[in-house]
Amino acid sequence: MEKNFVNLNTNPCKMCMPMGSISAFCGIKKCMTILHGSQGCATYIRRHMATHYNEPVDIASSSLTEEGAVFGGEKNLMKGLGNLIRLYDPDVIGVSTTCLAETIGEDTAGIVERYAEEHPELRAKIITVASAGYSGTQFEGFFRTLRALVEQTEMDAAPNGKVNIITGMISPADMRILKALTRSMGIDAIFLPDLSENLDGVHKEVYERLPMEGTSLDEIAKMAGAKCTIEISSFVDPAYSPGQYLSDTYGVPLYRTALPVGLRDTDRLAALLSDSGIGGGTIPAEIEKARGRALDAMVDSHKYNAQVRAAVFGEPDFVFSVCRLLAENGALPLIAATGSVCAGFRDRVALELAGLSDFHLAESPVILDESDFAEIEAYAKKSKVNVLIGSSDGRRIAEETGIPLVRCAFPVHDYVGGQRIRTLGYEGGLMLLDQITNAVISGVENSFRGELYKSYFSAGSPEAPRPGIGEKKEHPCFGDSGGKAARIHLPVAPRCNIKCNYCVRNYDCPNESRPGVSSGILTPRAALARYLRAKGEIAHLNVVGIAGPGDALADADRTLETLRLIRAADPDVMFCLSTNGLLLPYYIDALAEVGLTHLTVTVNATDPKIGAQIYEYVEQDGVKYAGESGAAMLLANQLAGIARAKVLGIIVKANIVMLKGVNDAHIPEAARRVKAAGCALVNIMQMIPVRGSAFEHLGSASDEEISAIRRRCEEILPQMYHCRRCRADAAGAL
C-alpha cells in the first residue's frame, strides 16, 4: 500500500507504476506486454484501461503465486514469454515487474537474457522495465518505460532530419492534435509513444490481436539521429527522461516544454515547432486562426471565470498545465494536488500562481504532492471549492460534497469517451475551459433559485437539522459511564521520551489490549483517511483521541498535523489527547488552538523520590535524566501543563497507575496535587504486568484494592470507574 488505510484506487493519480508501463507499451507497434507478478495486477490494470479507453488491451502475466514468491518466478516468466510469442508473434515484448517481483528481488533482465540464449530463433525485441517496489505512480512508470525503450533498442545515429516528440500519458485524441500540428508545419516527427490509434481505433470486422499502429522499433532506432528532441513534460525526472538519454548518449539537442494546455504554453510549443532549425520558420494560417478563436472565447467567458474556485488533481504535468489555464483566465485554482512524489512541483506551481492570491482577496492556493482524496476533500470543504477537475475517481468527493466534477484525466470509468478527451492545443484548451466554466455556471443556476425560494417564498417550516447537529455530545471517558458515545484512537506518535519500569510498547501486537499497543503506525494523512472511513461506519463517533502508542507530544508535529487535517474535514469533532506531560507546557497552547477539549496526563507520583523508583529515565532535548532529578523535571512540567490547560478551558483527567509497594500509599497525596493544579477527575488504574519490563514480577492490584483506593480518593476528586485501558488504535464504544 502507498499509505496506511488508503486504498490505491482512492488516491488522485496513485495507480501502480506498471499501469504507466503498460500504457506506454500500448503506443508501440506490434508490441505485447507481460506483467511479471501476480495475475491480480494484470486484471486490475486491464480493467482500468478497458473501462477508460473502451478498447481491448491484452496483457499477459507470469502469474506468480506463493510458490513463485518463495522459489522465484523465473520458470513462470520463461513460460509466459514462450506462450506470448507462440500466440502473438510480436515484434516487441514489454516485460514490466510488479511489486511482488520487486519484493523478492527478481532479476528480470537476467531471466530475459537466459531466455534469449536458450532460444536463438527469438525474433522479438524484449524490453524490461523495473517498478519501484511499493512506491511510484503511473506517471513515473510511463516515463521509465519510454527511457527503457530508447536505452534497450539498437540505435541508428545517422542524421535523418526527423524531430523526436516525447509525451507523457495523454489521450489518443490529444495525440492526434499534436500529430496534426506537426504535419501542418511540415515536420517529419517520431512520436514516442503514439497512442492515437491503438487505444482509440476504428471498427474492424476482424479483431487484430496485435496493435498494428503506433511507433515501430525502426522509428525508435532513428531517434538517435534526429535533429532534436522535444519532450513535453514539466516534471519528468532526468533519470527517467528518454530525451535526456538521447542527449547524453547521442548528442541529440533536447527541448522541454509544458503540456500545451491554454494560450501561453500552446504558443510556446507552436513557436518551438516553427523555429527555423526545426520547422519551416512560420506558423500556418489555420493555427493562427485557431489561436484567435481561443482568445475570443476567453473574452466571452472571462466574466464568469472569476467565480471559479477549483481543485485540480492528477499527474503533475496535467495539474500544472490546468492550473496555468485557470490562471490565465482569471479563475482561482485553490487546490493543486498530485499523488506523485515530485521534486519541484510545489515551487513551480506556486511560482505560476503568484499574484493570484492578491487578485482573489489574498486566498492562497494549497499545493500538495503525495496527496490522496481524503486530504483533497478536507481542503475542498474548507476552501469552499465549486468545481473539481481531474479523473472520475474524484466522483466520491463530488457525491459527498455536491461539487461538480469535470472529468478530463485518466481514468474515466463512469462516463464514456475517456479516449476522446481533448485538452491540448488552442481548441482542446478552449473545450476544457468551456466545461469548467459551464460546470460553475450550472452550479450557481441550480442552487441560488432554491435558496431564494426557501428564503422568500416557502411557507413551510424550517428544514430540520441534520442528525448529530445540535445534539449534546459526550466524551466516553470523561462521563459517568461512557454512555453510547464512541471514540477512535489514531496511532500516529510512535516515540516516547520517558522509560517507565512497567511499560513495554509493542507496535504490532493484535492479541494484547492495553495502552501502548497498536497494529501499526499511521501518517497524519492516513489517520485522516481512517477517521473519515470510521465516521461513516461507527455510530455516535464524536471523539478523536491520540494516545501514542508512544507519547503524543514526543511526536508533536505528527500529532498536531493529524488534528489540523481532521479539524479541516470535520469542524464538529471533539479532540482528546493522552500524554506523560513532559512536553505539555511547550505544546498546550498549540493544542488549544486546534480545538483540544479533553486531556489525560499520567501522573504516577508527585514525590520525586517515589517517581525515581517508577521511571528509569526522562529524556529532554537529547539528554537523559535519571533518578530524582528526572522525576522532578517530569513532575514540574506535568503540573505546569495541567495548570495552563485549565486556564485554556481544557478538561483534564489524571491517570495514576497503582504500583503495589511503590506508589499505592502515595496515591491520595498525588490526587490532591493534581486537583490543585487543575484536574477535574482522576482514573486510578491497575498495572498490567508485561513480560520484559522491570516491574513484570510486581503483581497487579486486585479489584478490591483498586476499589478501596478509589473510595478514599473520591473525597478528593471524582473518579473514573469504567476505564477499559484501551489500545492506541482502539475504535468504537468502550
Side-chain angles (χ1 to χ4, degrees), residues 47-82:
R47 183 177 68 248
H48 272 74
M49 295 188 67
T51 55
H52 177 83
Y53 294 108
N54 287 292
E55 295 284 357
V57 179
D58 286 0
I59 304 172
S61 171
S62 60
S63 299
L64 282 182
T65 59
E66 291 84 351
E67 180 181 352
V70 174
F71 298 107
E74 179 171 351
K75 178 181 176 182
N76 285 32
L77 180 54
M78 285 195 166
K79 184 177 180 181
L81 287 169

mmCIF file of all heavy atoms in Angstrom, residues 47-82:
data_model
loop_
_atom_site.group_PDB
_atom_site.id
_atom_site.type_symbol
_atom_site.label_atom_id
_atom_site.label_comp_id
_atom_site.label_asym_id
_atom_site.label_seq_id
_atom_site.Cartn_x
_atom_site.Cartn_y
_atom_site.Cartn_z
ATOM 1 N N ARG A 47 -8.579 -3.939 -16.430
ATOM 2 C CA ARG A 47 -9.911 -3.388 -16.153
ATOM 3 C C ARG A 47 -9.894 -1.860 -16.210
ATOM 4 O O ARG A 47 -10.781 -1.237 -16.807
ATOM 5 C CB ARG A 47 -10.396 -3.854 -14.780
ATOM 6 C CG ARG A 47 -11.811 -3.373 -14.446
ATOM 7 C CD ARG A 47 -12.282 -3.909 -13.118
ATOM 8 N NE ARG A 47 -11.555 -3.347 -12.009
ATOM 9 C CZ ARG A 47 -10.724 -4.022 -11.227
ATOM 10 N NH1 ARG A 47 -10.497 -5.296 -11.456
ATOM 11 N NH2 ARG A 47 -10.097 -3.434 -10.222
ATOM 12 N N HIS A 48 -8.869 -1.249 -15.609
ATOM 13 C CA HIS A 48 -8.804 0.210 -15.611
ATOM 14 C C HIS A 48 -8.644 0.761 -17.019
ATOM 15 O O HIS A 48 -9.275 1.756 -17.389
ATOM 16 C CB HIS A 48 -7.637 0.679 -14.733
ATOM 17 C CG HIS A 48 -8.013 0.860 -13.300
ATOM 18 N ND1 HIS A 48 -8.227 -0.207 -12.459
ATOM 19 C CD2 HIS A 48 -8.236 1.976 -12.562
ATOM 20 C CE1 HIS A 48 -8.554 0.242 -11.262
ATOM 21 N NE2 HIS A 48 -8.572 1.554 -11.301
ATOM 22 N N MET A 49 -7.810 0.120 -17.813
ATOM 23 C CA MET A 49 -7.572 0.631 -19.159
ATOM 24 C C MET A 49 -8.770 0.366 -20.074
ATOM 25 O O MET A 49 -9.133 1.214 -20.894
ATOM 26 C CB MET A 49 -6.300 0.014 -19.727
ATOM 27 C CG MET A 49 -5.053 0.435 -18.962
ATOM 28 S SD MET A 49 -3.534 -0.090 -19.755
ATOM 29 C CE MET A 49 -3.570 0.906 -21.225
ATOM 30 N N ALA A 50 -9.378 -0.797 -19.937
ATOM 31 C CA ALA A 50 -10.508 -1.135 -20.804
ATOM 32 C C ALA A 50 -11.694 -0.221 -20.550
ATOM 33 O O ALA A 50 -12.380 0.202 -21.489
ATOM 34 C CB ALA A 50 -10.900 -2.596 -20.608
ATOM 35 N N THR A 51 -11.964 0.126 -19.283
ATOM 36 C CA THR A 51 -13.116 0.978 -18.998
ATOM 37 C C THR A 51 -12.852 2.429 -19.384
ATOM 38 O O THR A 51 -13.793 3.176 -19.658
ATOM 39 C CB THR A 51 -13.493 0.906 -17.510
ATOM 40 O OG1 THR A 51 -12.355 1.232 -16.710
ATOM 41 C CG2 THR A 51 -13.986 -0.479 -17.139
ATOM 42 N N HIS A 52 -11.582 2.838 -19.430
ATOM 43 C CA HIS A 52 -11.272 4.211 -19.841
ATOM 44 C C HIS A 52 -11.267 4.350 -21.359
ATOM 45 O O HIS A 52 -11.905 5.246 -21.921
ATOM 46 C CB HIS A 52 -9.916 4.635 -19.283
ATOM 47 C CG HIS A 52 -9.482 6.012 -19.701
ATOM 48 N ND1 HIS A 52 -9.905 7.150 -19.048
ATOM 49 C CD2 HIS A 52 -8.684 6.436 -20.716
ATOM 50 C CE1 HIS A 52 -9.383 8.216 -19.635
ATOM 51 N NE2 HIS A 52 -8.627 7.814 -20.651
ATOM 52 N N TYR A 53 -10.536 3.453 -22.027
ATOM 53 C CA TYR A 53 -10.366 3.563 -23.476
ATOM 54 C C TYR A 53 -11.447 2.836 -24.271
ATOM 55 O O TYR A 53 -11.590 3.069 -25.467
ATOM 56 C CB TYR A 53 -8.992 3.014 -23.882
ATOM 57 C CG TYR A 53 -7.837 3.824 -23.349
ATOM 58 C CD1 TYR A 53 -7.036 3.339 -22.320
ATOM 59 C CD2 TYR A 53 -7.538 5.080 -23.871
ATOM 60 C CE1 TYR A 53 -5.972 4.075 -21.831
ATOM 61 C CE2 TYR A 53 -6.481 5.827 -23.387
ATOM 62 C CZ TYR A 53 -5.699 5.315 -22.364
ATOM 63 O OH TYR A 53 -4.650 6.048 -21.882
ATOM 64 N N ASN A 54 -12.167 1.924 -23.622
ATOM 65 C CA ASN A 54 -13.160 1.109 -24.323
ATOM 66 C C ASN A 54 -12.556 0.392 -25.527
ATOM 67 O O ASN A 54 -13.156 0.313 -26.612
ATOM 68 C CB ASN A 54 -14.367 1.971 -24.749
ATOM 69 C CG ASN A 54 -15.240 2.340 -23.570
ATOM 70 O OD1 ASN A 54 -15.891 1.498 -22.969
ATOM 71 N ND2 ASN A 54 -15.225 3.611 -23.209
ATOM 72 N N GLU A 55 -11.345 -0.067 -25.357
ATOM 73 C CA GLU A 55 -10.655 -0.869 -26.356
ATOM 74 C C GLU A 55 -10.086 -2.101 -25.648
ATOM 75 O O GLU A 55 -9.695 -2.014 -24.479
ATOM 76 C CB GLU A 55 -9.498 -0.093 -27.001
ATOM 77 C CG GLU A 55 -9.910 1.123 -27.817
ATOM 78 C CD GLU A 55 -10.489 0.745 -29.172
ATOM 79 O OE1 GLU A 55 -10.527 -0.453 -29.502
ATOM 80 O OE2 GLU A 55 -10.892 1.664 -29.916
ATOM 81 N N PRO A 56 -10.029 -3.259 -26.339
ATOM 82 C CA PRO A 56 -9.420 -4.434 -25.709
ATOM 83 C C PRO A 56 -7.923 -4.224 -25.512
ATOM 84 O O PRO A 56 -7.236 -3.711 -26.394
ATOM 85 C CB PRO A 56 -9.698 -5.561 -26.708
ATOM 86 C CG PRO A 56 -9.894 -4.874 -28.009
ATOM 87 C CD PRO A 56 -10.517 -3.542 -27.699
ATOM 88 N N VAL A 57 -7.421 -4.572 -24.350
ATOM 89 C CA VAL A 57 -5.993 -4.462 -24.041
ATOM 90 C C VAL A 57 -5.526 -5.824 -23.548
ATOM 91 O O VAL A 57 -5.899 -6.264 -22.457
ATOM 92 C CB VAL A 57 -5.727 -3.374 -22.976
ATOM 93 C CG1 VAL A 57 -4.234 -3.307 -22.662
ATOM 94 C CG2 VAL A 57 -6.231 -2.018 -23.451
ATOM 95 N N ASP A 58 -4.742 -6.516 -24.369
ATOM 96 C CA ASP A 58 -4.243 -7.838 -23.986
ATOM 97 C C ASP A 58 -2.984 -7.679 -23.138
ATOM 98 O O ASP A 58 -2.027 -7.015 -23.553
ATOM 99 C CB ASP A 58 -3.905 -8.668 -25.235
ATOM 100 C CG ASP A 58 -5.159 -9.159 -25.953
ATOM 101 O OD1 ASP A 58 -6.251 -8.838 -25.463
ATOM 102 O OD2 ASP A 58 -5.032 -9.833 -26.977
ATOM 103 N N ILE A 59 -2.998 -8.280 -21.942
ATOM 104 C CA ILE A 59 -1.840 -8.250 -21.047
ATOM 105 C C ILE A 59 -1.594 -9.667 -20.559
ATOM 106 O O ILE A 59 -2.487 -10.299 -19.989
ATOM 107 C CB ILE A 59 -2.070 -7.323 -19.836
ATOM 108 C CG1 ILE A 59 -2.443 -5.908 -20.284
ATOM 109 C CG2 ILE A 59 -0.830 -7.270 -18.949
ATOM 110 C CD1 ILE A 59 -2.878 -5.001 -19.156
ATOM 111 N N ALA A 60 -0.393 -10.187 -20.795
ATOM 112 C CA ALA A 60 -0.034 -11.495 -20.258
ATOM 113 C C ALA A 60 0.494 -11.329 -18.840
ATOM 114 O O ALA A 60 0.846 -10.231 -18.411
ATOM 115 C CB ALA A 60 1.021 -12.154 -21.141
ATOM 116 N N SER A 61 0.540 -12.431 -18.111
ATOM 117 C CA SER A 61 1.016 -12.394 -16.726
ATOM 118 C C SER A 61 1.830 -13.645 -16.436
ATOM 119 O O SER A 61 1.507 -14.733 -16.910
ATOM 120 C CB SER A 61 -0.162 -12.300 -15.750
ATOM 121 O OG SER A 61 0.281 -12.465 -14.419
ATOM 122 N N SER A 62 2.896 -13.466 -15.627
ATOM 123 C CA SER A 62 3.663 -14.634 -15.183
ATOM 124 C C SER A 62 2.971 -15.349 -14.034
ATOM 125 O O SER A 62 3.418 -16.412 -13.604
ATOM 126 C CB SER A 62 5.075 -14.212 -14.762
ATOM 127 O OG SER A 62 5.025 -13.285 -13.697
ATOM 128 N N SER A 63 1.904 -14.745 -13.509
ATOM 129 C CA SER A 63 1.025 -15.385 -12.508
ATOM 130 C C SER A 63 1.809 -15.963 -11.327
ATOM 131 O O SER A 63 1.700 -17.140 -11.002
ATOM 132 C CB SER A 63 0.186 -16.491 -13.169
ATOM 133 O OG SER A 63 -0.633 -15.951 -14.168
ATOM 134 N N LEU A 64 2.599 -15.100 -10.683
ATOM 135 C CA LEU A 64 3.328 -15.554 -9.500
ATOM 136 C C LEU A 64 2.352 -15.880 -8.374
ATOM 137 O O LEU A 64 1.436 -15.117 -8.083
ATOM 138 C CB LEU A 64 4.296 -14.472 -9.024
ATOM 139 C CG LEU A 64 5.605 -14.317 -9.796
ATOM 140 C CD1 LEU A 64 6.456 -13.232 -9.159
ATOM 141 C CD2 LEU A 64 6.375 -15.616 -9.842
ATOM 142 N N THR A 65 2.567 -17.015 -7.740
ATOM 143 C CA THR A 65 1.783 -17.418 -6.574
ATOM 144 C C THR A 65 2.719 -17.498 -5.381
ATOM 145 O O THR A 65 3.865 -17.066 -5.441
ATOM 146 C CB THR A 65 1.126 -18.781 -6.814
ATOM 147 O OG1 THR A 65 2.157 -19.742 -7.081
ATOM 148 C CG2 THR A 65 0.178 -18.729 -8.010
ATOM 149 N N GLU A 66 2.221 -18.081 -4.274
ATOM 150 C CA GLU A 66 3.068 -18.222 -3.088
ATOM 151 C C GLU A 66 4.333 -19.012 -3.403
ATOM 152 O O GLU A 66 5.423 -18.694 -2.929
ATOM 153 C CB GLU A 66 2.301 -18.924 -1.954
ATOM 154 C CG GLU A 66 1.174 -18.097 -1.353
ATOM 155 C CD GLU A 66 -0.112 -18.221 -2.149
ATOM 156 O OE1 GLU A 66 -0.067 -18.806 -3.249
ATOM 157 O OE2 GLU A 66 -1.158 -17.732 -1.678
ATOM 158 N N GLU A 67 4.213 -20.032 -4.254
ATOM 159 C CA GLU A 67 5.379 -20.851 -4.598
ATOM 160 C C GLU A 67 6.427 -20.011 -5.319
ATOM 161 O O GLU A 67 7.625 -20.079 -5.032
ATOM 162 C CB GLU A 67 4.958 -22.032 -5.471
ATOM 163 C CG GLU A 67 6.126 -22.934 -5.871
ATOM 164 C CD GLU A 67 5.679 -24.084 -6.762
ATOM 165 O OE1 GLU A 67 4.456 -24.269 -6.931
ATOM 166 O OE2 GLU A 67 6.562 -24.785 -7.265
ATOM 167 N N GLY A 68 5.954 -19.200 -6.273
ATOM 168 C CA GLY A 68 6.888 -18.359 -7.002
ATOM 169 C C GLY A 68 7.536 -17.314 -6.125
ATOM 170 O O GLY A 68 8.700 -16.961 -6.310
ATOM 171 N N ALA A 69 6.764 -16.806 -5.142
ATOM 172 C CA ALA A 69 7.314 -15.796 -4.243
ATOM 173 C C ALA A 69 8.408 -16.378 -3.352
ATOM 174 O O ALA A 69 9.277 -15.657 -2.876
ATOM 175 C CB ALA A 69 6.200 -15.197 -3.376
ATOM 176 N N VAL A 70 8.368 -17.686 -3.118
ATOM 177 C CA VAL A 70 9.384 -18.334 -2.288
ATOM 178 C C VAL A 70 10.564 -18.807 -3.128
ATOM 179 O O VAL A 70 11.727 -18.550 -2.811
ATOM 180 C CB VAL A 70 8.764 -19.524 -1.511
ATOM 181 C CG1 VAL A 70 9.854 -20.286 -0.758
ATOM 182 C CG2 VAL A 70 7.696 -19.023 -0.549
ATOM 183 N N PHE A 71 10.284 -19.500 -4.225
ATOM 184 C CA PHE A 71 11.345 -20.130 -5.009
ATOM 185 C C PHE A 71 11.767 -19.314 -6.232
ATOM 186 O O PHE A 71 12.671 -19.705 -6.949
ATOM 187 C CB PHE A 71 10.890 -21.522 -5.473
ATOM 188 C CG PHE A 71 10.610 -22.460 -4.329
ATOM 189 C CD1 PHE A 71 9.314 -22.802 -3.996
ATOM 190 C CD2 PHE A 71 11.652 -22.976 -3.566
ATOM 191 C CE1 PHE A 71 9.049 -23.658 -2.938
ATOM 192 C CE2 PHE A 71 11.395 -23.831 -2.513
ATOM 193 C CZ PHE A 71 10.093 -24.176 -2.191
ATOM 194 N N GLY A 72 11.094 -18.171 -6.485
ATOM 195 C CA GLY A 72 11.439 -17.362 -7.638
ATOM 196 C C GLY A 72 10.509 -17.627 -8.794
ATOM 197 O O GLY A 72 9.940 -18.709 -8.942
ATOM 198 N N GLY A 73 10.373 -16.612 -9.664
ATOM 199 C CA GLY A 73 9.400 -16.716 -10.745
ATOM 200 C C GLY A 73 10.007 -16.921 -12.116
ATOM 201 O O GLY A 73 9.330 -16.699 -13.121
ATOM 202 N N GLU A 74 11.279 -17.335 -12.184
ATOM 203 C CA GLU A 74 11.929 -17.483 -13.492
ATOM 204 C C GLU A 74 11.174 -18.448 -14.393
ATOM 205 O O GLU A 74 10.933 -18.166 -15.572
ATOM 206 C CB GLU A 74 13.371 -17.958 -13.308
ATOM 207 C CG GLU A 74 14.110 -18.157 -14.621
ATOM 208 C CD GLU A 74 15.599 -18.418 -14.424
ATOM 209 O OE1 GLU A 74 16.084 -18.269 -13.290
ATOM 210 O OE2 GLU A 74 16.259 -18.762 -15.412
ATOM 211 N N LYS A 75 10.779 -19.579 -13.843
ATOM 212 C CA LYS A 75 10.078 -20.582 -14.644
ATOM 213 C C LYS A 75 8.785 -20.003 -15.211
ATOM 214 O O LYS A 75 8.466 -20.191 -16.397
ATOM 215 C CB LYS A 75 9.798 -21.810 -13.782
ATOM 216 C CG LYS A 75 9.038 -22.912 -14.493
ATOM 217 C CD LYS A 75 8.793 -24.090 -13.541
ATOM 218 C CE LYS A 75 7.946 -25.167 -14.206
ATOM 219 N NZ LYS A 75 7.671 -26.299 -13.272
ATOM 220 N N ASN A 76 8.029 -19.288 -14.371
ATOM 221 C CA ASN A 76 6.763 -18.706 -14.825
ATOM 222 C C ASN A 76 6.979 -17.688 -15.934
ATOM 223 O O ASN A 76 6.241 -17.629 -16.921
ATOM 224 C CB ASN A 76 6.032 -18.047 -13.655
ATOM 225 C CG ASN A 76 5.402 -19.049 -12.722
ATOM 226 O OD1 ASN A 76 5.922 -20.137 -12.558
ATOM 227 N ND2 ASN A 76 4.303 -18.682 -12.092
ATOM 228 N N LEU A 77 7.981 -16.828 -15.758
ATOM 229 C CA LEU A 77 8.222 -15.782 -16.750
ATOM 230 C C LEU A 77 8.654 -16.385 -18.079
ATOM 231 O O LEU A 77 8.188 -15.965 -19.151
ATOM 232 C CB LEU A 77 9.274 -14.798 -16.241
ATOM 233 C CG LEU A 77 9.618 -13.640 -17.184
ATOM 234 C CD1 LEU A 77 8.367 -12.886 -17.606
ATOM 235 C CD2 LEU A 77 10.618 -12.697 -16.531
ATOM 236 N N MET A 78 9.563 -17.378 -18.040
ATOM 237 C CA MET A 78 10.003 -18.009 -19.289
ATOM 238 C C MET A 78 8.843 -18.698 -20.003
ATOM 239 O O MET A 78 8.693 -18.611 -21.227
ATOM 240 C CB MET A 78 11.124 -19.009 -19.000
ATOM 241 C CG MET A 78 12.469 -18.352 -18.697
ATOM 242 S SD MET A 78 13.807 -19.543 -18.811
ATOM 243 C CE MET A 78 15.222 -18.454 -18.850
ATOM 244 N N LYS A 79 7.999 -19.354 -19.225
ATOM 245 C CA LYS A 79 6.833 -19.999 -19.822
ATOM 246 C C LYS A 79 5.892 -18.965 -20.424
ATOM 247 O O LYS A 79 5.348 -19.146 -21.523
ATOM 248 C CB LYS A 79 6.113 -20.838 -18.768
ATOM 249 C CG LYS A 79 4.941 -21.634 -19.311
ATOM 250 C CD LYS A 79 4.324 -22.501 -18.224
ATOM 251 C CE LYS A 79 3.137 -23.297 -18.766
ATOM 252 N NZ LYS A 79 2.520 -24.138 -17.697
ATOM 253 N N GLY A 80 5.706 -17.858 -19.708
ATOM 254 C CA GLY A 80 4.837 -16.798 -20.216
ATOM 255 C C GLY A 80 5.370 -16.178 -21.498
ATOM 256 O O GLY A 80 4.606 -15.890 -22.429
ATOM 257 N N LEU A 81 6.681 -15.959 -21.579
ATOM 258 C CA LEU A 81 7.271 -15.424 -22.802
ATOM 259 C C LEU A 81 7.047 -16.373 -23.978
ATOM 260 O O LEU A 81 6.702 -15.949 -25.087
ATOM 261 C CB LEU A 81 8.770 -15.178 -22.596
ATOM 262 C CG LEU A 81 9.150 -13.984 -21.707
ATOM 263 C CD1 LEU A 81 10.630 -14.019 -21.359
ATOM 264 C CD2 LEU A 81 8.799 -12.669 -22.388
ATOM 265 N N GLY A 82 7.243 -17.667 -23.722
ATOM 266 C CA GLY A 82 7.038 -18.644 -24.781
ATOM 267 C C GLY A 82 5.605 -18.664 -25.282
ATOM 268 O O GLY A 82 5.353 -18.699 -26.497
#
